[in-house]
Amino acid sequence: MESKYKWNRKHQERISQLEVPKPNDRLKGFSLYLNGGTALDIACGLGGNSLFLATRNYQVQAIDISDVAIHYLKEQATKQKLAIDPQVRDLTTANQLLRKKGPFDLVIITYYLDRTIYPLIKNILNKDGYFYMETYYQSPMQQVQGVSNQYKLQPQELLKEFADWNIIFFEENEHEGRQTLFCKKISQ
């Protein structure tokens, strides 16, 4: 419950400071690959990525622990008439629910890390589906980010975890202390 309170407070502050949340810039850069279908936005926050994907003809399932964020995203989706189904979920216990909701054509995660969901992602993604993830990593140049190392990726962790997939893009930005992966599940 402490985590939910923390995120509700954080999102309430962000809502008062912005008009509409913006999608991840690097995700937008892959627009040529993003042509609609079903998408899952894990830890969606205020929904910048979900809103973007819905304009790219995706039916988006968006989940987050924060009811403040989910309420805001529902309002935005209704106002803009977008196909987004935002739901409050504690991501540490959402595995069973997500298995029932899939499969998806696209799964995205930005700035959230729970290594136990890697197998879930691999199972709920359609053949030839895409996976996008960006989050903090333990960069030798970025020691202080206000984020505990347990919530940071190891160097090349995503590249190793999804090595048997078609890697379209991988980057470790040492100055920003982030790791980004965009890949495609290979048909088996």
Side-chain angles (χ1 to χ4, degrees), residues 31-96:
S31 291
L32 290 175
Y33 297 92
L34 307 175
N35 299 312
T38 57
L40 173 64
D41 187 355
I42 298 174
C44 65
L46 295 178
N49 293 326
S50 294
L51 294 165
F52 166 70
L53 292 172
T55 66
R56 305 274 318 152
N57 298 315
Y58 280 95
Q59 293 180 337
V60 181
Q61 175 82 41
I63 59 174
D64 199 280
I65 194 170
S66 169
D67 50 352
V68 169
I70 293 300
H71 177 74
Y72 177 83
L73 180 53
K74 280 182 182 176
E75 286 180 343
Q76 293 300 312
T78 300
K79 189 183 334 180
Q80 297 177 44
K81 297 182 174 123
L82 296 172
I84 302 173
D85 180 16
Q87 295 184 8
V88 176
R89 294 280 179 250
D90 179 346
L91 300 173
T92 61
T93 60
N95 284 357
Q96 275 306 106

Side-chain angles (χ1 to χ4, degrees), residues 7 9-10 15 43 47 50-51 55 64 72-73 79 89 122 127 131 165 167 176 181 183 185-186:
W7 286 108
R9 197 177 75 243
K10 232 177 205 187
I15 288 169
S50 294
L51 294 165
T55 66
D64 199 280
Y72 177 83
L73 180 53
K79 189 183 334 180
R89 294 280 179 250
K122 293 174 181 182
K127 290 188 291 185
F131 175 57
W165 290 31
I167 307 297
E176 294 179 18
L181 175 77
C183 59
K185 186 175 182 178
I186 298 173

Side-chain angles (χ1 to χ4, degrees), residues 131-133 158-159 162 167 169-170 179-183:
F131 175 57
Y132 177 86
M133 183 170 181
L158 289 177
L159 195 57
F162 293 90
I167 307 297
F169 178 82
F170 176 77
Q179 202 173 108
T180 307
L181 175 77
F182 184 62
C183 59

Side-chain angles (χ1 to χ4, degrees), residues 98-176:
L98 293 177
R99 282 188 217 290
K100 295 175 188 170
K101 294 285 185 179
F104 295 95
D105 300 308
L106 172 68
V107 175
I108 66 167
I109 305 172
T110 54
Y111 295 94
Y112 174 77
L113 179 60
D114 177 356
R115 291 171 177 90
T116 66
I117 65 173
Y118 291 158
L120 174 70
I121 291 164
K122 293 174 181 182
N123 286 327
I124 63 172
L125 204 57
N126 279 327
K127 290 188 291 185
D128 297 321
Y130 292 99
F131 175 57
Y132 177 86
M133 183 170 181
E134 179 173 292
T135 196
Y136 303 107
Y137 93 104
Q138 295 180 29
S139 164
M141 298 181 79
Q142 276 284 350
Q143 295 301 321
V144 182
Q145 288 177 312
V147 177
S148 168
N149 278 345
Q150 78 181 42
Y151 300 113
K152 293 180 184 178
L153 295 164
Q154 296 292 319
Q156 301 210 351
E157 181 176 336
L158 289 177
L159 195 57
K160 292 172 188 171
E161 182 66 35
F162 293 90
D164 57 341
W165 290 31
N166 178 12
I167 307 297
I168 297 166
F169 178 82
F170 176 77
E171 178 184 38
E172 282 184 341
N173 187 310
E174 290 185 353
H175 297 289
E176 294 179 18

